Amino acid sequence: MAPSSSSGLTFKLHPLVIVNISDHYTRVKTQFNPPPSLCATENASNNGEAMLQPNPRVYGCVIGVQRGRTVEIFNSFELLFDPSTDTLDRSFLEKKQELYKKVFPDFYVLGWYSTGSDAEESDMLIHKALMDINESPVYVLLNPAINHAQKDLPVTIYESELHVIDGIPQLIFAHTSYTIETVEAERISVDHVAHLKPSDGGSAATQLAAHLTGIHSAIKMLNSRIRVLHQYLAAMDKGDIPCDNSLLRQVSSLLRRLPAMESERFQDNFLMEYNDKLLVTYLAMITNCTSTMNEMVDKFNTAYDRNSRRGGRTAFM
Amino acid sequence: MNKMEALITSIQGLSGSLGDLCALHARLRKAEDSLRINSNVQLSILKQLDPSIHSLGYLYILEASTSGPVWKKKATLLIAQFINCCDAGQIRLASEKFVILCKRFKDRVFKDPLRGVGPMLSAVRKLVQVSPKRLTALHPDCLQLCLQAKCYLAGFSILSDDIVEVDEPRDFHLYCYYGGMICIGLKGFQKASELLYNVVTAPMHEVNSIAFEAYKKYILVNLIHSGQFSNSLPKCASSVAQKNLKNWCTPYYEVGNYYNDGKISELEAVVVAYSSDFENDNNLGLVKQAVASLYKRNILRLTQKYLTLSLEDIANMVQLPNAKEAEMHVLQMIQDGQIHALINQKDGMVRFLEDPEQYKTSEMIDVMDSVIQRTIGLSKNLIAMDNSLSCDPLYVGKSQVGRERQRYDFGDDFDNFPHFSM
């Protein structure tokens, strides 16, 4: 249903839009699906409203600038969706548009956004409704399902194209490629969001854990890539894959760029420092265990000692 | 006889899945008394059953046939074979019977312990499979058998498992005591000291003889291992132990005191004076080892004072007869790794060195890694115990009452608990 677009426009997406859409979705989802402790009281008072939607869809408008063949999407705002008429709230949209015009005179309504895994038929109605503001609106779709295997952003941009299907000219969605463009200020906010932790990120323990996790994942990625290269070279050596000389040249140049320190002094220093780190870790673990044991003994004494003067024990635990 | 036939067919038929086994178990329990009476039939029944498949039925019949005072000769052999090939899952349903059977087996083979070590070891292993890290009644029996047979290594393999749960205090005391003796036999004095310490400081209502014997050995092992002796029991020993254990250990206290003074000749005099007491306690060998270790202790003290020393001076200070013996002792200690030194044979000088371990090798990394892994496991256990204790109603009751009395805010105390996470 979504072939590649051939309009020749280049799309640039700002991260602010992505953050906005995901924030909107998260807010709506938590509001409609309260945590289980509150659910018990809520369910008694609500009568049959469809509260527990697994994945509520949110809608909104994207605004930006179109200069020639480049479409740059800067910002977005939310809109209410009316399920009875399947349209977006028009008056609200126009009001918001006027407000934004006052602050950003260059920005036009470029299209709309929603969440979901794929574009649907009903979306076309909304798309057509927006066509009177913008002749060819864009549809930004965010997939809120968290897929750890997927490395790319789950954001797709669709354009509408007129195709002749079964003799009838119809509008269908065609997805286009886009690039991410950032302004300096946006980089700070993206960094902040990327490192957000559920607890307060201020204490040293969580910061250290976060830092080490980052290093760990970076090293894991490096390791897996080196393994891929290694397997590739081994297969080439065995003859399973035809030799690609340009790739071999690239690999050898990469290897020559590595700092190769084989001296014995390096080994000594490296191992000594490694052992020091291990010893410090061991010491930290022992301290941890000792403090846990201390707490446990205190609790045991509070629970089981009849009289603190007598040193005797009453029962095995 | 029909009942027996029916029993055999039911055993053979129902030894399959778990549900069947429970039904079989119920039937066997009802048939127990009739089994005991018909002693002639029992062995013939056993021939028709296979111990590895029909373990539960086999167990019941064996137990019935050994419950009387007189055993058939073949019974011991059959029991040994049964233990070796029975199925741990089926045994789990009747673990008390299994324990009783093994105890009787152990009593039988006590005169000839070597035959029994193998089966007892596998019996303990099978029970451990059922409930890991739990001390069973069989552990001390197996250790006792290993001691009797002088198979120390076999017993040591049981000792290396960690124990987290204990059913009977007496089992635990015996286990630690025998375990300590096995470690002494293997010359692992550190582990022996730990095990005996466990017995001495175990909670008890009244003093038992196990604690006495353990305390005597504990004093001696401590002398051999670390050269330390203190007049008082460790602080965490129960008050009962603290009042009573000292009264009966005067010879050992004398040995300890003279050891601390460091004079070999006086120590030997004390040993000779009390040698009858030591012999009664079977501790004479340990006492002699303690005397031998005094030389080592003195030489160790010398390493802290001097950088180089001649062999004659060592012999004089340590009260050894001549320089040759001093050289032998120093050589032995260097080989054991207790001191680091260089002996220059030309002029008979000994130079004491520092510990050459630089922690620079990759073998050290492996050692550290395994030690850290063990500590991680221990830490998990501790945290689990801590959590279960926090949920214990006794604790919650007492701590809450305490809080209400002082009118603390409930939330405050949670904030004051330092939260560490690994």
Side-chain angles (χ1 to χ4, degrees):
Chain A
M1 200 203 132
S4 283
S5 139
S6 50
S7 61
L9 292 171
T10 30
F11 286 92
K12 291 191 186 164
L13 189 62
H14 277 250
L16 177 60
V17 178
I18 307 176
V19 172
N20 274 346
I21 303 177
S22 93
D23 181 52
H24 185 196
Y25 172 74
T26 317
R27 255 183 295 121
V28 168
K29 186 163 169 184
T30 17
Q31 274 172 3
F32 279 141
N33 296 334
S37 56
L38 302 173
C39 223
T41 49
E42 297 266 334
N43 276 336
S45 48
N46 294 332
N47 310 328
E49 270 192 71
M51 283 277 144
L52 292 172
Q53 293 163 314
N55 277 328
R57 290 195 76 178
V58 299
Y59 300 87
C61 221
V62 294
I63 59 180
V65 180
Q66 175 158 8
R67 297 191 192 94
R69 306 298 291 171
T70 327
V71 179
E72 200 161 347
I73 306 180
F74 275 99
N75 207 343
S76 67
F77 57 86
E78 304 161 12
L79 288 174
L80 264 183
F81 181 68
D82 194 0
S84 50
T85 59
D86 260 357
T87 53
L88 295 173
D89 193 351
R90 217 31 204 271
S91 51
F92 183 71
L93 191 150
E94 276 158 19
K95 220 177 356 170
K96 276 291 245 207
Q97 201 179 0
E98 278 184 41
L99 289 173
Y100 268 97
K101 268 287 193 195
K102 287 188 196 156
V103 184
F104 302 106
D106 293 332
F107 286 5
Y108 287 102
V109 171
L110 287 179
W112 63 294
Y113 71 75
S114 176
T115 56
S117 48
D118 213 353
E120 295 176 14
E121 294 293 339
S122 49
D123 299 343
M124 195 40 93
L125 297 165
I126 310 177
H127 207 78
K128 287 191 184 144
L130 273 179
M131 279 216 223
D132 54 349
I133 308 186
N134 188 327
E135 309 86 34
S136 138
V138 300
Y139 172 33
V140 181
L141 180 68
L142 174 86
N143 186 357
I146 304 177
N147 188 356
H148 292 286
Q150 191 183 18
K151 299 287 187 308
D152 308 324
L153 278 178
V155 174
T156 24
I157 298 192
Y158 293 102
E159 268 198 307
S160 59
E161 291 190 347
L162 203 55
H163 278 240
V164 179
I165 301 177
D166 304 328
I168 311 171
Q170 271 187 355
L171 279 175
I172 59 163
F173 283 124
H175 80 286
T176 63
S177 58
Y178 61 91
T179 52
I180 304 273
E181 179 101 0
T182 41
V183 183
E184 280 304 318
E186 286 180 319
R187 214 172 282 169
I188 299 176
S189 71
V190 166
D191 196 48
H192 182 79
V193 167
H195 290 127
L196 212 50
K197 291 278 177 279
S199 58
D200 63 314
S203 82
T206 48
Q207 270 179 357
L208 180 67
H211 178 245
L212 288 177
T213 325
I215 294 189
H216 176 248
S217 42
I219 295 183
K220 208 161 77 161
M221 222 163 44
L222 178 68
N223 192 17
S224 65
R225 284 181 194 172
I226 293 182
R227 197 170 303 200
V228 164
L229 274 179
H230 182 74
Q231 279 177 350
Y232 180 70
L233 287 174
M236 222 194 273
D237 194 27
K238 269 199 287 190
D240 298 335
I241 305 178
C243 271
D244 188 352
N245 283 324
S246 65
L247 259 170
L248 282 175
R249 276 196 288 272
Q250 281 182 349
V251 171
S252 98
S253 79
L254 183 72
L255 285 175
R256 284 211 190 110
R257 268 187 283 161
L258 287 175
M261 293 235 266
E262 281 303 323
S263 71
E264 203 181 295
R265 267 187 58 186
F266 172 70
Q267 278 284 76
D268 273 351
N269 283 341
F270 173 66
L271 282 176
M272 195 150 36
E273 194 159 327
Y274 192 94
N275 273 321
D276 283 343
K277 290 268 157 56
L278 280 180
L279 281 168
V280 169
T281 318
Y282 185 46
L283 186 64
M285 288 222 59
I286 294 184
T287 317
N288 227 334
C289 279
T290 325
S291 99
T292 320
M293 183 130 39
N294 186 28
E295 281 178 35
M296 195 178 78
V297 168
D298 281 341
K299 286 188 191 157
F300 187 83
N301 282 339
T302 349
Y304 288 100
D305 259 358
R306 265 184 264 151
N307 191 347
S308 54
R309 296 262 173 114
R310 287 205 283 168
R313 307 286 147 94
T314 50
F316 250 123
M317 199 167 93
Chain B
M1 283 307 106
N2 282 339
K3 261 204 302 193
M4 290 299 126
E5 300 283 332
L7 201 57
I8 298 175
T9 41
S10 63
I11 293 178
Q12 283 168 335
L14 289 178
S15 293
S17 63
L18 197 57
D20 290 342
L21 281 173
C22 297
L24 179 60
H25 196 201
R27 283 204 63 181
L28 282 171
R29 260 186 285 197
K30 286 186 212 142
E32 223 181 294
D33 293 323
S34 58
L35 274 178
R36 263 178 238 249
I37 306 172
N38 299 330
S39 59
N40 298 333
V41 184
Q42 284 151 6
L43 284 181
S44 59
I45 302 182
L46 286 176
K47 287 200 193 99
Q48 302 182 25
L49 295 175
D50 180 4
S52 50
I53 312 178
H54 309 124
S55 304
L56 197 56
Y58 211 92
L59 174 64
Y60 266 86
I61 299 179
L62 265 181
E63 197 269 332
S65 66
T66 55
S67 57
V70 179
W71 283 23
K72 302 244 165 60
K73 286 245 170 68
K74 269 188 74 181
T76 328
L77 203 58
L78 282 174
I79 298 183
Q81 282 174 351
F82 168 64
I83 297 179
N84 278 333
C85 54
C86 67
D87 175 31
Q90 295 195 13
I91 297 298
R92 186 186 317 197
L93 294 172
S95 43
E96 317 84 33
K97 280 226 180 285
F98 188 63
V99 169
I100 296 176
L101 186 67
C102 291
K103 277 195 195 286
R104 289 192 194 141
F105 174 66
K106 179 208 100 180
D107 291 328
R108 228 348 117 105
V109 288
F110 205 66
K111 309 276 176 359
D112 184 15
L114 219 48
R115 276 173 62 195
V117 169
M120 284 298 282
L121 268 182
S122 53
V124 169
R125 290 247 177 283
K126 295 230 164 84
L127 272 188
V128 163
Q129 251 182 327
V130 166
S131 47
K133 294 189 188 278
R134 198 185 186 105
L135 189 70
T136 61
L138 280 185
H139 279 89
D141 287 330
C142 183
L143 288 177
Q144 194 182 4
L145 211 57
C146 293
L147 268 178
Q148 193 78 7
K150 300 215 192 307
C151 298
Y152 297 130
L153 276 179
F156 193 70
S157 59
I158 301 187
L159 283 174
S160 20
D161 296 330
D162 284 333
I163 302 280
V164 175
E165 292 174 24
V166 173
D167 281 329
E168 278 268 319
R170 189 165 171 272
D171 286 340
F172 181 64
H173 292 155
L174 276 175
Y175 171 80
C176 287
Y177 180 61
Y178 289 137
M181 284 172 71
I182 286 188
C183 290
I184 294 176
L186 287 174
K187 300 235 188 294
F189 290 114
Q190 165 112 13
K191 196 158 165 95
S193 171
E194 285 171 12
L195 284 167
L196 292 170
Y197 177 82
N198 274 339
V199 188
V200 170
T201 57
M204 41 184 135
H205 291 294
E206 68 261 326
V207 194
N208 51 8
S209 52
I210 309 176
F212 270 139
E213 300 298 318
Y215 185 50
K216 293 173 192 164
K217 290 204 164 65
Y218 173 69
I219 297 180
L220 291 173
V221 167
N222 253 356
L223 284 180
I224 301 177
H225 172 64
S226 57
Q228 285 168 348
F229 170 72
S230 67
N231 260 327
S232 58
L233 278 173
K235 252 188 5 179
C236 54
S238 59
S239 56
V240 172
Q242 293 214 2
K243 283 184 219 153
N244 296 328
L245 278 183
K246 287 195 227 173
N247 305 339
W248 302 84
C249 302
T250 19
Y252 298 88
Y253 271 51
E254 298 268 316
V255 169
N257 285 328
Y258 281 107
Y259 193 99
N260 270 343
D261 291 336
K263 303 270 183 352
I264 302 264
S265 43
E266 296 180 8
L267 185 62
E268 283 182 349
V270 169
V271 168
V272 167
Y274 286 110
S275 56
S276 52
D277 288 326
F278 294 146
E279 270 199 53
N280 284 342
D281 296 333
N282 288 332
N283 282 337
L284 197 56
L286 261 185
V287 174
K288 293 214 172 107
Q289 284 189 35
V291 173
S293 77
L294 186 54
Y295 291 117
K296 298 205 174 98
R297 199 65 49 201
N298 287 337
I299 297 183
L300 255 181
R301 267 188 226 151
L302 286 177
T303 61
Q304 287 166 351
K305 276 193 263 182
Y306 297 94
L307 272 182
T308 52
L309 211 51
S310 71
L311 283 172
E312 284 106 28
D313 283 334
I314 295 183
N316 286 337
M317 289 190 201
V318 180
Q319 294 141 35
L320 281 167
N322 54 8
K324 266 285 164 212
E325 291 223 5
E327 191 179 339
M328 293 275 301
H329 268 103
V330 172
L331 254 183
Q332 187 64 37
M333 287 175 75
I334 297 178
Q335 270 182 345
D336 291 338
Q338 285 171 335
I339 62 174
H340 304 276
L342 277 177
I343 305 184
N344 191 340
Q345 287 200 315
K346 263 203 291 190
D347 33 340
M349 297 292 288
V350 178
R351 197 157 63 158
F352 298 119
L353 301 169
E354 293 270 328
D355 182 5
E357 175 62 63
Q358 292 257 338
Y359 296 96
K360 269 202 285 195
T361 56
S362 30
E363 290 86 26
M364 189 42 99
I365 295 183
D366 288 331
V367 167
M368 300 274 358
D369 208 21
S370 65
V371 160
I372 290 180
Q373 292 293 339
R374 251 196 96 204
T375 324
I376 292 180
L378 188 64
S379 158
K380 279 197 193 132
N381 269 340
L382 268 181
I383 293 182
M385 282 171 94
D386 192 25
N387 285 337
S388 74
L389 199 52
S390 316
C391 309
D392 193 340
L394 261 178
Y395 168 69
V396 172
K398 286 208 182 152
S399 57
Q400 209 162 5
V401 164
R403 277 182 209 151
E404 274 173 16
R405 264 198 216 136
Q406 297 167 43
R407 279 195 242 126
Y408 274 165
D409 186 12
F410 201 82
D412 263 357
D413 273 83
F414 278 106
D415 289 332
N416 287 340
F417 274 33
H419 283 291
F420 293 99
S421 60
M422 245 349 231

